[in-house]
């Protein structure tokens, strides 16, 4: 498939490759301590950081349109092969607003302090279709599975194959993260972790039908994580949800049935206030599953 990449994207890829080439060689040879490596990557060890966000525009053949590709990084110049997790946005959202507030700062601070290994997140525009193909020619799940790895590998991120090690998401993005994890398992490429904040686990078809997303009940049930409870067996999974959130019933049902690694509920509604409150736990959970360099 051909893809169109903006000049801005090309400049970023070239600059990043030049900036991290020496760092990659030094760390591979075992002559650069981790602290120095992180400082070279733009992360000041031992002090709070604000992190770095970069937005690019790329053409998605799977979606048939230009999309935002957003990198959420612990520092301005990521080291070569930096492990990356997906971050999926919610309904009526987009890549620029996929992450709950405070995520990039928390990531940079925890990486800088050595609390978690260096890693980043990548977000991409998926539309309002619960991360599956509703209209022919617009398939966001194919974009995640087929195109995102190529985009990451082209930027020297996520290892030689550009495969995200994990997937996280909020609301509809949480639903999508669970479906993505299932698809990776089916491909015999299971992710290291799946994390869902207030995932849109709706328990009835009449309620889901109000969203006018799925073509019918069968389309919905073919994807609904509550009807595929063993799909992520063996994959460390975390769910967080406010007890006043409209999705709490489905989340509680999933937690009770699957006993995920993290099943957290606390007072809160479906808002960024609650999403932000669990960011430290999200970064900690995903960070525990960053693949170690070999």
């Amino acid at each position: 498939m051909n893809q169109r990449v903006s000049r801005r994207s090309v400049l970023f890829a070239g600059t990043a490759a030049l900036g991290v080439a020496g760092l990659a060689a030094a760390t591979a040879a075992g002559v650069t301590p981790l602290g120095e490596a992180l400082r070279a990557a733009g992360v000041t060890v031992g002090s709070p950081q604000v992190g770095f966000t970069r937005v690019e525009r790329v053409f998605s053949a799977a979606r048939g349109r230009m999309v935002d590709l957003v990198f959420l990084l612990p520092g301005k110049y990521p080291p070569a092969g930096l492990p990356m997790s997906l971050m999926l946005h919610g309904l009526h959202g987009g890549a620029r607003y996929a992450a709950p507030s405070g995520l990039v700062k928390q990531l940079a601070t925890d990486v800088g302090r050595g609390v978690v290994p260096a890693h980043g997140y990548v977000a991409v525009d998926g539309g309002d279709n619960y991360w599956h193909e509703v209209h022919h020619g617009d398939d966001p799940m194919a974009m995640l599975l087929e195109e995102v790895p190529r985009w990451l590998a082209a930027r020297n991120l996520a290892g030689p194959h550009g495969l995200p090690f994990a997937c996280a998401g909020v609301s509809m993005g949480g639903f999508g993260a669970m479906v993505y994890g299932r698809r990776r398992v089916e491909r015999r490429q299971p992710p290291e972790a799946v994390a869902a904040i207030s995932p849109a686990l709706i328990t009835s078809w009449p309620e889901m039908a109000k969203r006018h997303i799925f073509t019918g009940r069968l389309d919905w049930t073919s994807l609904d994580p509550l009807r595929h409870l063993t799909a992520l067996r063996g994959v460390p999974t975390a769910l967080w949800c406010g007890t006043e959130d409209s999705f709490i019933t489905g989340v509680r049902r999933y937690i009770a049935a699957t006993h995920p690694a993290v099943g957290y509920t606390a007072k809160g509604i479906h808002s960024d206030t609650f999403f932000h409150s669990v960011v430290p736990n999200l970064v900690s959970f995903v960070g525990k599953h960053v693949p170690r360099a070999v």
Side-chain angles (χ1 to χ4, degrees):
M1 288 181 191
N2 293 325
Q3 62 185 57
R4 298 199 297 272
V5 182
S6 69
R7 179 175 179 270
R8 182 185 191 181
S9 302
V10 172
L11 287 174
F12 169 54
T15 302
L18 289 173
V20 301
L23 171 62
T27 53
V31 299
T32 302
L34 175 61
E36 292 180 21
L38 290 175
R39 281 189 287 272
V43 177
T44 302
V45 178
S47 63
Q49 298 295 308
V50 296
F52 187 76
T53 299
R54 190 172 198 101
V55 180
E56 303 182 29
R57 292 284 288 174
V58 295
F59 179 75
S60 168
R63 295 207 61 212
R65 68 192 70 196
M66 297 293 292
V67 297
D68 282 343
L69 185 66
V70 179
F71 298 92
L72 311 170
L73 304 166
K76 188 172 183 179
Y77 303 109
L82 180 74
M84 299 291 289
S85 170
L86 288 171
M87 173 58 71
L88 306 186
H89 66 75
L91 192 65
H92 307 312
R96 297 177 190 231
Y97 311 103
S101 63
L103 175 68
V104 178
K105 182 177 180 180
Q106 187 73 46
L107 171 67
T109 298
D110 285 359
V111 169
R113 290 175 173 168
V115 177
V116 297
H119 65 286
Y121 293 85
V122 60
V124 65
D125 292 336
D128 291 335
N129 41 28
Y130 275 66
W131 297 96
H132 82 299
E133 186 176 25
V134 178
H135 306 289
H136 181 69
D138 184 1
D139 191 343
M141 186 56 64
M143 174 182 65
L144 297 179
L145 293 168
E146 303 292 345
E147 295 181 308
V148 168
R150 294 202 295 271
W151 296 336
L152 290 175
R155 290 154 181 78
N156 212 4
L157 295 170
H161 303 294
L163 193 64
F165 74 92
C167 186
V170 179
S171 192
M172 180 190 78
F175 180 104
M178 298 167 83
V179 175
Y180 173 83
R182 173 184 164 193
R183 295 297 184 229
R184 286 277 300 270
V185 169
E186 291 169 351
R187 289 173 166 233
R188 299 184 180 181
Q189 295 178 317
E192 299 294 331
V194 168
I197 299 177
S198 303
L201 300 182
I202 294 174
T203 57
S204 75
W205 170 241
E207 183 61 31
M208 178 58 85
K210 294 177 183 178
R211 287 158 172 76
H212 305 289
I213 300 295
F214 294 91
T215 57
R217 183 190 295 266
L218 291 179
D219 187 30
W220 170 55
T221 57
S222 70
L223 296 179
D224 181 18
L226 287 171
R227 287 164 174 77
H228 301 274
L229 294 170
T230 63
L232 296 179
R233 181 175 292 168
V235 177
T237 303
L239 286 81
W240 298 266
C241 191
T243 52
E244 285 68 54
D245 192 307
S246 61
F247 300 142
I248 187 62
T249 299
V251 170
R252 282 174 168 158
R253 187 176 297 177
Y254 189 90
I255 290 171
T258 65
H259 306 290
V262 175
Y264 175 87
T265 62
K267 185 175 178 60
I269 62 173
H270 198 80
S271 71
D272 189 61
T273 299
F274 178 81
F275 306 158
H276 172 73
S277 73
V278 302
V279 161
N281 291 329
L282 170 67
V283 173
S284 175
F285 173 76
V286 173
K288 288 177 182 176
H289 300 284
V290 174
R292 304 292 175 173
V294 294

